[in-house]
Amino acid sequence: MKMTLYFIRHGETDNNVKHRFIGRTDMPLNERGIEQAQCVGRAMSGIRLDALYTSPYQRAVMTAEQICSGRDLQMVKDPGLCEIDCGDWDGLGREEIEERWPGMIELWQHQPDKLEMPNGETFQQVQDRAFRTFLNIVEKERGKAVAVTSHMLTIQLILARMLNIPIRDVWKMRRLDNASITELAIYDGGEFEIIRWGDDRHLPDHLKNTFVKIAGFIEKSYTETYHTSNLVGRHKYLNR
């Protein structure tokens, strides 16, 4: 039995543009983000969906609403799909964080597995609760077509666990831009197949970014250790 799952990153917010940490700040989409979400809605309109799960934050819900538009589909808000809790970093930029906590922003960028943001979550904690949520969705929606609207790091940490990629390398995977679609086929027995990863072909050029907007750093080029082309095909993930 095959399940089709679409991971969709929310549209753009003002803090995305400013590269500020947004985490659990409940920020809505900006004007450009609304346009991106509308494009996702149109791209998904011809695809059968049996269920839709979303992070409860406005930016994800506003994106999910565009996907639900015109469908008899109930949106399920699940806190397990929330973005990382940035704690005291929420709303701050790189320079402010470096001034208050010297050296820690470098861990975010280069050694995220060692990072403990003050009063926030670790990457491991995010991965554990997000992956549990993923497994619950797979179990509940077996054989169905499901959309999940969430956040870049949350989605990438789920995919990293599925692909047995260490947390330290999460930024070396192909990064998921705003309003991109990642499609998986999930089979009984813990096998899955990547159909498309970070697909943004549904966005017109003026809504695409020349680089992915990540809190804390602007990096227009990076080492993509885990090339999407090498990840195509069937894989086995552990149900834990």
Side-chain angles (χ1 to χ4, degrees), residues 153-212:
L153 180 57
T154 305
I155 297 171
Q156 293 207 181
L157 286 171
I158 294 172
L159 294 170
R161 176 76 68 88
M162 295 177 73
L163 292 163
N164 200 30
I165 293 172
I167 286 176
R168 175 172 290 206
D169 289 345
V170 70
W171 299 132
K172 296 179 182 178
M173 301 162 64
R174 181 180 173 188
R175 299 167 185 174
L176 305 177
D177 210 343
N178 290 112
S180 63
I181 301 171
T182 298
E183 180 181 353
L184 307 178
I186 301 173
Y187 304 92
D188 289 348
E191 284 195 330
F192 73 100
E193 184 176 1
I194 297 170
I195 309 301
R196 48 182 170 151
W197 183 301
D199 185 5
D200 67 353
R201 289 174 294 177
H202 51 281
L203 298 178
D205 287 344
H206 75 281
L207 293 180
K208 294 181 181 180
N209 298 324
T210 56
F211 58 97
V212 179

CSV table of all heavy atoms in Angstrom, one decimal, residues 153-212:
chain,number,residue,atom,x,y,z
A,153,LEU,N,13.3,24.1,8.6
A,153,LEU,CA,14.2,23.2,9.5
A,153,LEU,C,13.4,22.0,9.9
A,153,LEU,O,14.0,20.9,9.9
A,153,LEU,CB,14.7,24.0,10.7
A,153,LEU,CG,15.6,23.3,11.6
A,153,LEU,CD1,16.8,22.7,10.9
A,153,LEU,CD2,16.0,24.1,12.8
A,154,THR,N,12.2,22.2,10.3
A,154,THR,CA,11.4,21.0,10.8
A,154,THR,C,11.3,20.0,9.7
A,154,THR,O,11.5,18.8,9.9
A,154,THR,CB,9.9,21.5,11.2
A,154,THR,OG1,10.1,22.5,12.1
A,154,THR,CG2,9.1,20.3,11.7
A,155,ILE,N,11.0,20.4,8.5
A,155,ILE,CA,10.8,19.4,7.4
A,155,ILE,C,12.2,18.8,7.1
A,155,ILE,O,12.3,17.5,6.9
A,155,ILE,CB,10.3,20.1,6.1
A,155,ILE,CG1,8.9,20.6,6.3
A,155,ILE,CG2,10.3,19.1,4.9
A,155,ILE,CD1,8.4,21.5,5.2
A,156,GLN,N,13.3,19.6,7.1
A,156,GLN,CA,14.6,19.0,6.7
A,156,GLN,C,15.1,18.1,7.8
A,156,GLN,O,15.8,17.1,7.5
A,156,GLN,CB,15.6,20.1,6.5
A,156,GLN,CG,15.3,20.9,5.3
A,156,GLN,CD,16.4,21.6,4.6
A,156,GLN,OE1,16.3,22.3,3.6
A,156,GLN,NE2,17.6,21.4,5.1
A,157,LEU,N,14.7,18.3,9.1
A,157,LEU,CA,15.1,17.4,10.1
A,157,LEU,C,14.3,16.0,10.0
A,157,LEU,O,14.9,15.0,10.3
A,157,LEU,CB,14.9,18.0,11.5
A,157,LEU,CG,15.9,19.1,11.9
A,157,LEU,CD1,15.5,19.8,13.1
A,157,LEU,CD2,17.3,18.5,12.0
A,158,ILE,N,13.1,16.1,9.6
A,158,ILE,CA,12.3,14.8,9.4
A,158,ILE,C,13.0,14.1,8.2
A,158,ILE,O,13.3,12.9,8.3
A,158,ILE,CB,10.9,15.1,9.0
A,158,ILE,CG1,10.1,15.7,10.2
A,158,ILE,CG2,10.2,13.8,8.5
A,158,ILE,CD1,8.7,16.2,9.9
A,159,LEU,N,13.3,14.7,7.1
A,159,LEU,CA,13.9,14.1,6.0
A,159,LEU,C,15.3,13.5,6.3
A,159,LEU,O,15.7,12.5,5.9
A,159,LEU,CB,14.0,15.0,4.8
A,159,LEU,CG,12.7,15.5,4.2
A,159,LEU,CD1,12.9,16.6,3.2
A,159,LEU,CD2,12.0,14.3,3.5
A,160,ALA,N,16.1,14.3,7.2
A,160,ALA,CA,17.4,13.8,7.6
A,160,ALA,C,17.3,12.5,8.4
A,160,ALA,O,18.1,11.6,8.2
A,160,ALA,CB,18.1,14.9,8.4
A,161,ARG,N,16.3,12.5,9.3
A,161,ARG,CA,16.1,11.2,10.0
A,161,ARG,C,15.7,10.1,9.1
A,161,ARG,O,16.3,8.9,9.2
A,161,ARG,CB,15.0,11.4,11.1
A,161,ARG,CG,14.6,10.2,11.9
A,161,ARG,CD,15.7,9.8,12.9
A,161,ARG,NE,15.7,10.8,14.0
A,161,ARG,CZ,15.0,10.7,15.1
A,161,ARG,NH1,14.1,9.8,15.3
A,161,ARG,NH2,15.1,11.7,16.0
A,162,MET,N,14.9,10.3,8.1
A,162,MET,CA,14.5,9.3,7.2
A,162,MET,C,15.7,8.8,6.3
A,162,MET,O,15.8,7.6,6.0
A,162,MET,CB,13.4,9.8,6.3
A,162,MET,CG,12.1,10.1,7.0
A,162,MET,SD,10.8,10.9,5.9
A,162,MET,CE,10.3,9.4,4.9
A,163,LEU,N,16.6,9.7,6.0
A,163,LEU,CA,17.7,9.4,5.1
A,163,LEU,C,19.0,9.0,5.9
A,163,LEU,O,20.0,8.8,5.3
A,163,LEU,CB,18.0,10.6,4.2
A,163,LEU,CG,16.9,10.8,3.1
A,163,LEU,CD1,17.1,12.2,2.6
A,163,LEU,CD2,17.0,9.8,2.0
A,164,ASN,N,18.9,9.0,7.2
A,164,ASN,CA,20.0,8.7,8.1
A,164,ASN,C,21.2,9.7,7.9
A,164,ASN,O,22.3,9.3,7.9
A,164,ASN,CB,20.5,7.3,7.9
A,164,ASN,CG,21.3,6.7,9.0
A,164,ASN,OD1,21.1,7.1,10.2
A,164,ASN,ND2,22.3,5.9,8.7
A,165,ILE,N,20.8,11.0,7.7
A,165,ILE,CA,21.8,12.0,7.6
A,165,ILE,C,21.9,12.7,9.0
A,165,ILE,O,20.9,13.0,9.6
A,165,ILE,CB,21.3,13.1,6.6
A,165,ILE,CG1,21.3,12.5,5.2
A,165,ILE,CG2,22.2,14.3,6.6
A,165,ILE,CD1,20.7,13.4,4.1
A,166,PRO,N,23.1,12.8,9.5
A,166,PRO,CA,23.3,13.4,10.8
A,166,PRO,C,22.9,14.8,10.9
A,166,PRO,O,22.9,15.6,9.9
A,166,PRO,CB,24.8,13.3,11.0
A,166,PRO,CG,25.4,13.2,9.7
A,166,PRO,CD,24.4,12.5,8.8
A,167,ILE,N,22.4,15.2,12.1
A,167,ILE,CA,21.9,16.6,12.3
A,167,ILE,C,23.0,17.6,12.0
A,167,ILE,O,22.7,18.7,11.4
A,167,ILE,CB,21.4,16.7,13.8
A,167,ILE,CG1,20.1,16.0,14.0
A,167,ILE,CG2,21.3,18.2,14.2
A,167,ILE,CD1,19.6,16.0,15.4
A,168,ARG,N,24.2,17.3,12.2
A,168,ARG,CA,25.3,18.3,11.9
A,168,ARG,C,25.3,18.7,10.5
A,168,ARG,O,25.7,19.8,10.1
A,168,ARG,CB,26.7,17.7,12.3
A,168,ARG,CG,27.8,18.6,11.9
A,168,ARG,CD,29.1,18.1,12.4
A,168,ARG,NE,29.2,18.2,13.8
A,168,ARG,CZ,30.4,18.4,14.5
A,168,ARG,NH1,31.5,18.4,13.8
A,168,ARG,NH2,30.4,18.5,15.8
A,169,ASP,N,24.8,17.8,9.6
A,169,ASP,CA,24.8,18.1,8.1
A,169,ASP,C,23.5,18.6,7.6
A,169,ASP,O,23.3,18.6,6.4
A,169,ASP,CB,25.2,16.8,7.4
A,169,ASP,CG,26.6,16.4,7.6
A,169,ASP,OD1,27.4,17.2,8.0
A,169,ASP,OD2,27.0,15.2,7.2
A,170,VAL,N,22.6,19.0,8.5
A,170,VAL,CA,21.3,19.4,8.0
A,170,VAL,C,21.3,20.6,7.0
A,170,VAL,O,20.5,20.6,6.1
A,170,VAL,CB,20.3,19.7,9.2
A,170,VAL,CG1,20.7,21.0,9.9
A,170,VAL,CG2,18.9,19.8,8.7
A,171,TRP,N,22.3,21.5,7.2
A,171,TRP,CA,22.4,22.6,6.2
A,171,TRP,C,23.1,22.2,4.9
A,171,TRP,O,23.2,23.0,4.0
A,171,TRP,CB,23.1,23.8,6.9
A,171,TRP,CG,22.5,24.4,8.1
A,171,TRP,CD1,23.1,24.6,9.3
A,171,TRP,CD2,21.1,24.8,8.3
A,171,TRP,NE1,22.2,25.2,10.2
A,171,TRP,CE2,21.0,25.3,9.6
A,171,TRP,CE3,20.0,24.8,7.4
A,171,TRP,CZ2,19.8,25.8,10.1
A,171,TRP,CZ3,18.8,25.3,7.9
A,171,TRP,CH2,18.7,25.8,9.2
A,172,LYS,N,23.7,21.0,4.9
A,172,LYS,CA,24.3,20.5,3.7
A,172,LYS,C,23.4,19.7,2.8
A,172,LYS,O,23.8,19.2,1.7
A,172,LYS,CB,25.6,19.7,4.1
A,172,LYS,CG,26.6,20.5,4.8
A,172,LYS,CD,27.8,19.6,5.2
A,172,LYS,CE,28.8,20.4,6.0
A,172,LYS,NZ,30.0,19.5,6.4
A,173,MET,N,22.2,19.6,3.2
A,173,MET,CA,21.1,19.0,2.3
A,173,MET,C,20.6,20.1,1.4
A,173,MET,O,20.8,21.3,1.7
A,173,MET,CB,20.0,18.5,3.2
A,173,MET,CG,20.4,17.4,4.1
A,173,MET,SD,19.1,17.1,5.4
A,173,MET,CE,17.7,16.5,4.5
A,174,ARG,N,20.0,19.8,0.3
A,174,ARG,CA,19.4,20.8,-0.5
A,174,ARG,C,18.3,21.5,0.4
A,174,ARG,O,17.4,20.9,0.9
A,174,ARG,CB,18.7,20.3,-1.7
A,174,ARG,CG,18.1,21.3,-2.6
A,174,ARG,CD,17.4,20.8,-3.9
A,174,ARG,NE,16.7,21.9,-4.5
A,174,ARG,CZ,15.9,21.6,-5.6
A,174,ARG,NH1,15.8,20.4,-6.1
A,174,ARG,NH2,15.3,22.7,-6.2
A,175,ARG,N,18.4,22.8,0.5
A,175,ARG,CA,17.5,23.6,1.3
A,175,ARG,C,16.2,23.9,0.7
A,175,ARG,O,16.1,24.1,-0.5
A,175,ARG,CB,18.3,24.9,1.8
A,175,ARG,CG,19.6,24.6,2.5
A,175,ARG,CD,20.5,25.8,2.7
A,175,ARG,NE,21.7,25.4,3.3
A,175,ARG,CZ,22.7,26.2,3.4
A,175,ARG,NH1,22.6,27.5,3.0
A,175,ARG,NH2,23.9,25.8,4.0
A,176,LEU,N,15.2,23.9,1.5
A,176,LEU,CA,13.8,24.1,1.1
A,176,LEU,C,13.4,25.6,1.1
A,176,LEU,O,13.3,26.1,2.2
A,176,LEU,CB,12.9,23.2,1.9
A,176,LEU,CG,13.2,21.8,2.0
A,176,LEU,CD1,12.3,21.0,2.9
A,176,LEU,CD2,13.3,21.1,0.6
A,177,ASP,N,13.2,26.1,0.0
A,177,ASP,CA,12.8,27.5,-0.1
A,177,ASP,C,11.3,27.7,0.3
A,177,ASP,O,10.5,26.8,0.3
A,177,ASP,CB,13.1,28.1,-1.5
A,177,ASP,CG,13.4,29.6,-1.5
A,177,ASP,OD1,13.1,30.2,-0.4
A,177,ASP,OD2,14.0,30.1,-2.5
A,178,ASN,N,10.9,29.0,0.5
A,178,ASN,CA,9.5,29.3,0.8
A,178,ASN,C,8.6,28.8,-0.3
A,178,ASN,O,8.9,28.9,-1.5
A,178,ASN,CB,9.3,30.8,0.9
A,178,ASN,CG,10.0,31.4,2.2
A,178,ASN,OD1,11.0,32.1,2.1
A,178,ASN,ND2,9.5,31.0,3.3
A,179,ALA,N,7.5,28.1,0.1
A,179,ALA,CA,6.5,27.7,-0.8
A,179,ALA,C,6.9,26.5,-1.7
A,179,ALA,O,6.3,26.3,-2.7
A,179,ALA,CB,5.8,28.8,-1.6
A,180,SER,N,8.0,25.8,-1.4
A,180,SER,CA,8.4,24.7,-2.2
A,180,SER,C,7.7,23.4,-1.8
A,180,SER,O,7.1,23.3,-0.7
A,180,SER,CB,9.9,24.5,-2.0
A,180,SER,OG,10.2,24.2,-0.7
A,181,ILE,N,7.6,22.5,-2.7
A,181,ILE,CA,6.9,21.2,-2.5
A,181,ILE,C,7.9,20.1,-2.5
A,181,ILE,O,8.7,20.0,-3.5
A,181,ILE,CB,5.8,21.0,-3.6
A,181,ILE,CG1,4.8,22.1,-3.5
A,181,ILE,CG2,5.1,19.6,-3.4
A,181,ILE,CD1,3.8,22.1,-4.7
A,182,THR,N,7.9,19.2,-1.5
A,182,THR,CA,8.7,18.0,-1.5
A,182,THR,C,7.7,16.8,-1.5
A,182,THR,O,6.9,16.7,-0.5
A,182,THR,CB,9.7,18.0,-0.3
A,182,THR,OG1,10.6,19.1,-0.5
A,182,THR,CG2,10.4,16.7,-0.3
A,183,GLU,N,7.8,15.9,-2.4
A,183,GLU,CA,6.8,14.9,-2.6
A,183,GLU,C,7.5,13.5,-2.3
A,183,GLU,O,8.5,13.2,-2.9
A,183,GLU,CB,6.2,14.9,-4.0
A,183,GLU,CG,5.2,13.8,-4.2
A,183,GLU,CD,4.6,13.8,-5.6
A,183,GLU,OE1,4.9,14.7,-6.4
A,183,GLU,OE2,3.9,12.8,-6.0
A,184,LEU,N,6.9,12.7,-1.4
A,184,LEU,CA,7.3,11.4,-1.1
A,184,LEU,C,6.3,10.3,-1.4
A,184,LEU,O,5.1,10.6,-1.2
A,184,LEU,CB,7.7,11.3,0.4
A,184,LEU,CG,8.7,12.3,0.9
A,184,LEU,CD1,8.9,12.1,2.4
A,184,LEU,CD2,10.0,12.3,0.2
A,185,ALA,N,6.7,9.2,-1.8
A,185,ALA,CA,5.8,8.0,-1.8
A,185,ALA,C,6.3,7.1,-0.6
A,185,ALA,O,7.5,6.8,-0.5
A,185,ALA,CB,6.0,7.2,-3.1
A,186,ILE,N,5.4,6.8,0.2
A,186,ILE,CA,5.7,6.0,1.4
A,186,ILE,C,5.0,4.7,1.4
A,186,ILE,O,3.8,4.6,1.2
A,186,ILE,CB,5.3,6.8,2.7
A,186,ILE,CG1,6.1,8.1,2.7
A,186,ILE,CG2,5.7,6.0,4.0
A,186,ILE,CD1,5.6,9.1,3.8
A,187,TYR,N,5.7,3.6,1.5
A,187,TYR,CA,5.2,2.3,1.4
A,187,TYR,C,5.2,1.6,2.7
A,187,TYR,O,5.9,1.9,3.7
A,187,TYR,CB,6.1,1.4,0.4
A,187,TYR,CG,6.2,2.1,-0.9
A,187,TYR,CD1,7.3,3.0,-1.2
A,187,TYR,CD2,5.3,1.9,-2.0
A,187,TYR,CE1,7.4,3.6,-2.4
A,187,TYR,CE2,5.4,2.4,-3.2
A,187,TYR,CZ,6.5,3.3,-3.4
A,187,TYR,OH,6.7,3.9,-4.7
A,188,ASP,N,4.3,0.6,2.8
A,188,ASP,CA,4.3,-0.3,4.1
A,188,ASP,C,5.7,-0.9,4.3
A,188,ASP,O,6.4,-1.2,3.3
A,188,ASP,CB,3.2,-1.4,3.9
A,188,ASP,CG,1.8,-0.8,4.0
A,188,ASP,OD1,1.7,0.4,4.4
A,188,ASP,OD2,0.9,-1.6,3.7
A,189,GLY,N,6.0,-1.1,5.5
A,189,GLY,CA,7.3,-1.7,5.8
A,189,GLY,C,8.4,-0.7,6.0
A,189,GLY,O,9.6,-1.1,6.1
A,190,GLY,N,8.1,0.6,6.0
A,190,GLY,CA,9.2,1.6,6.2
A,190,GLY,C,10.0,2.0,5.0
A,190,GLY,O,11.1,2.6,5.2
A,191,GLU,N,9.5,1.7,3.8
A,191,GLU,CA,10.2,2.1,2.6
A,191,GLU,C,9.6,3.4,2.1
A,191,GLU,O,8.4,3.6,2.3
A,191,GLU,CB,10.2,1.1,1.5
A,191,GLU,CG,11.1,-0.1,1.8
A,191,GLU,CD,11.3,-0.9,0.5
A,191,GLU,OE1,10.4,-1.0,-0.3
A,191,GLU,OE2,12.4,-1.5,0.3
A,192,PHE,N,10.4,4.2,1.5
A,192,PHE,CA,9.9,5.5,0.9
A,192,PHE,C,10.7,5.8,-0.3
A,192,PHE,O,11.9,5.4,-0.5
A,192,PHE,CB,9.9,6.6,1.9
A,192,PHE,CG,11.2,7.2,2.2
A,192,PHE,CD1,11.7,8.4,1.6
A,192,PHE,CD2,12.1,6.6,3.1
A,192,PHE,CE1,12.9,8.9,1.9
A,192,PHE,CE2,13.3,7.1,3.4
A,192,PHE,CZ,13.8,8.3,2.8
A,193,GLU,N,10.1,6.7,-1.2
A,193,GLU,CA,10.8,7.1,-2.4
A,193,GLU,C,10.6,8.6,-2.5
A,193,GLU,O,9.5,9.2,-2.3
A,193,GLU,CB,10.2,6.4,-3.6
A,193,GLU,CG,10.8,6.7,-4.9
A,193,GLU,CD,10.2,5.9,-6.1
A,193,GLU,OE1,9.3,5.1,-5.8
A,193,GLU,OE2,10.7,6.1,-7.2
A,194,ILE,N,11.7,9.3,-2.8
A,194,ILE,CA,11.6,10.8,-3.1
A,194,ILE,C,11.2,11.0,-4.5
A,194,ILE,O,11.9,10.6,-5.5
A,194,ILE,CB,13.0,11.4,-2.8
A,194,ILE,CG1,13.4,11.3,-1.3
A,194,ILE,CG2,12.9,12.9,-3.2
A,194,ILE,CD1,14.8,11.7,-1.0
A,195,ILE,N,10.1,11.6,-4.7
A,195,ILE,CA,9.6,11.9,-6.1
A,195,ILE,C,10.1,13.3,-6.5
A,195,ILE,O,10.6,13.4,-7.6
A,195,ILE,CB,8.1,11.9,-6.1
A,195,ILE,CG1,7.5,10.6,-5.5
A,195,ILE,CG2,7.6,12.1,-7.5
A,195,ILE,CD1,8.0,9.4,-6.2
A,196,ARG,N,10.1,14.3,-5.7
A,196,ARG,CA,10.6,15.6,-6.0
A,196,ARG,C,11.0,16.3,-4.6
A,196,ARG,O,10.4,16.1,-3.6
A,196,ARG,CB,9.7,16.5,-6.8
A,196,ARG,CG,8.3,16.6,-6.3
A,196,ARG,CD,7.4,17.4,-7.2
A,196,ARG,NE,6.0,17.3,-6.8
A,196,ARG,CZ,5.1,18.2,-7.0
A,196,ARG,NH1,5.5,19.4,-7.5
A,196,ARG,NH2,3.8,18.1,-6.7
A,197,TRP,N,12.0,17.2,-4.7
A,197,TRP,CA,12.6,17.8,-3.5
A,197,TRP,C,12.7,19.3,-3.7
A,197,TRP,O,13.3,19.7,-4.6
A,197,TRP,CB,13.9,17.2,-3.2
A,197,TRP,CG,14.6,17.6,-2.0
A,197,TRP,CD1,15.0,18.9,-1.6
A,197,TRP,CD2,15.1,16.8,-0.9
A,197,TRP,NE1,15.6,19.0,-0.4
A,197,TRP,CE2,15.7,17.7,0.0
A,197,TRP,CE3,15.0,15.4,-0.7
A,197,TRP,CZ2,16.3,17.2,1.2
A,197,TRP,CZ3,15.6,15.0,0.5
A,197,TRP,CH2,16.2,15.8,1.4
A,198,GLY,N,12.0,20.0,-2.9
A,198,GLY,CA,12.1,21.5,-2.9
A,198,GLY,C,11.7,22.1,-4.3
A,198,GLY,O,12.2,23.1,-4.7
A,199,ASP,N,10.6,21.5,-4.8
A,199,ASP,CA,10.2,21.9,-6.2
A,199,ASP,C,9.5,23.3,-6.1
A,199,ASP,O,8.5,23.5,-5.3
A,199,ASP,CB,9.2,20.9,-6.7
A,199,ASP,CG,8.8,21.2,-8.1
A,199,ASP,OD1,9.3,22.1,-8.8
A,199,ASP,OD2,7.9,20.4,-8.6
A,200,ASP,N,10.0,24.3,-6.8
A,200,ASP,CA,9.3,25.6,-6.8
A,200,ASP,C,9.0,26.0,-8.3
A,200,ASP,O,8.8,27.2,-8.5
A,200,ASP,CB,10.2,26.7,-6.2
A,200,ASP,CG,11.5,26.9,-7.0
A,200,ASP,OD1,11.8,26.2,-8.0
A,200,ASP,OD2,12.2,27.9,-6.6
A,201,ARG,N,8.8,25.1,-9.2
A,201,ARG,CA,8.5,25.4,-10.5
A,201,ARG,C,7.1,26.0,-10.7
A,201,ARG,O,6.8,26.7,-11.7
A,201,ARG,CB,8.6,24.1,-11.4
A,201,ARG,CG,10.0,23.6,-11.6
A,201,ARG,CD,10.0,22.3,-12.4
A,201,ARG,NE,9.3,21.2,-11.5
A,201,ARG,CZ,9.2,20.0,-11.9
A,201,ARG,NH1,9.5,19.6,-13.2
A,201,ARG,NH2,8.6,19.1,-11.1
A,202,HIS,N,6.3,25.9,-9.7
A,202,HIS,CA,5.0,26.5,-9.7
A,202,HIS,C,5.0,28.0,-9.4
A,202,HIS,O,4.0,28.7,-9.6
A,202,HIS,CB,4.0,25.9,-8.7
A,202,HIS,CG,4.6,25.8,-7.3
A,202,HIS,ND1,5.5,24.8,-7.0
A,202,HIS,CD2,4.4,26.5,-6.2
A,202,HIS,CE1,5.9,25.0,-5.7
A,202,HIS,NE2,5.2,26.0,-5.2
A,203,LEU,N,6.2,28.5,-9.0
A,203,LEU,CA,6.3,29.9,-8.7
A,203,LEU,C,6.8,30.7,-9.9
A,203,LEU,O,7.8,30.3,-10.5
A,203,LEU,CB,7.3,30.1,-7.5
A,203,LEU,CG,7.0,29.5,-6.2
A,203,LEU,CD1,8.1,29.8,-5.2
A,203,LEU,CD2,5.6,30.1,-5.6
A,204,PRO,N,6.2,31.8,-10.2
A,204,PRO,CA,6.8,32.7,-11.3
A,204,PRO,C,8.2,33.2,-10.8
A,204,PRO,O,8.5,33.3,-9.6
A,204,PRO,CB,5.8,33.8,-11.5
A,204,PRO,CG,5.0,33.8,-10.2
A,204,PRO,CD,5.0,32.4,-9.6
A,205,ASP,N,9.0,33.7,-11.8
A,205,ASP,CA,10.3,34.1,-11.4
A,205,ASP,C,10.4,35.2,-10.4
A,205,ASP,O,11.3,35.2,-9.5
A,205,ASP,CB,11.1,34.6,-12.7
A,205,ASP,CG,11.4,33.5,-13.6
A,205,ASP,OD1,11.4,32.3,-13.2
A,205,ASP,OD2,11.7,33.8,-14.8
A,206,HIS,N,9.4,36.1,-10.4
A,206,HIS,CA,9.5,37.2,-9.4
A,206,HIS,C,9.2,36.7,-8.0
A,206,HIS,O,9.4,37.5,-7.0
A,206,HIS,CB,8.6,38.4,-9.8
A,206,HIS,CG,7.1,38.1,-9.6
A,206,HIS,ND1,6.3,37.3,-10.4
A,206,HIS,CD2,6.3,38.5,-8.6
A,206,HIS,CE1,5.1,37.3,-10.0
A,206,HIS,NE2,5.0,38.0,-8.9
A,207,LEU,N,8.7,35.5,-7.8
A,207,LEU,CA,8.4,35.0,-6.5
A,207,LEU,C,9.4,34.0,-6.0
A,207,LEU,O,9.3,33.4,-4.9
A,207,LEU,CB,7.0,34.4,-6.4
A,207,LEU,CG,5.8,35.3,-6.6
A,207,LEU,CD1,4.5,34.6,-6.5
A,207,LEU,CD2,5.9,36.5,-5.5
A,208,LYS,N,10.4,33.7,-6.9
A,208,LYS,CA,11.5,32.8,-6.5
A,208,LYS,C,12.6,33.6,-5.9
A,208,LYS,O,12.8,34.8,-6.2
A,208,LYS,CB,12.0,32.0,-7.7
A,208,LYS,CG,11.0,31.0,-8.3
A,208,LYS,CD,11.6,30.3,-9.5
A,208,LYS,CE,10.6,29.4,-10.2
A,208,LYS,NZ,11.2,28.6,-11.3
A,209,ASN,N,13.4,32.9,-5.1
A,209,ASN,CA,14.6,33.6,-4.5
A,209,ASN,C,15.9,33.1,-5.1
A,209,ASN,O,16.0,32.0,-5.6
A,209,ASN,CB,14.6,33.3,-3.0
A,209,ASN,CG,13.4,33.8,-2.2
A,209,ASN,OD1,12.9,34.9,-2.6
A,209,ASN,ND2,13.0,33.1,-1.3
A,210,THR,N,16.8,34.0,-5.2
A,210,THR,CA,18.1,33.6,-5.7
A,210,THR,C,18.9,32.8,-4.7
A,210,THR,O,19.9,32.1,-5.1
A,210,THR,CB,19.0,34.9,-6.1
A,210,THR,OG1,19.1,35.7,-4.9
A,210,THR,CG2,18.3,35.6,-7.2
A,211,PHE,N,18.5,32.8,-3.5
A,211,PHE,CA,19.1,31.9,-2.4
A,211,PHE,C,18.0,31.7,-1.3
A,211,PHE,O,17.1,32.5,-1.2
A,211,PHE,CB,20.3,32.6,-1.9
A,211,PHE,CG,20.1,33.9,-1.3
A,211,PHE,CD1,19.9,34.1,0.1
A,211,PHE,CD2,20.1,35.1,-2.0
A,211,PHE,CE1,19.7,35.3,0.7
A,211,PHE,CE2,19.9,36.3,-1.5
A,211,PHE,CZ,19.7,36.5,-0.1
A,212,VAL,N,18.2,30.6,-0.6
A,212,VAL,CA,17.2,30.3,0.4
A,212,VAL,C,17.4,31.2,1.6
A,212,VAL,O,18.6,31.5,2.1
A,212,VAL,CB,17.4,28.8,0.9
A,212,VAL,CG1,16.4,28.5,2.0
A,212,VAL,CG2,17.1,27.9,-0.3
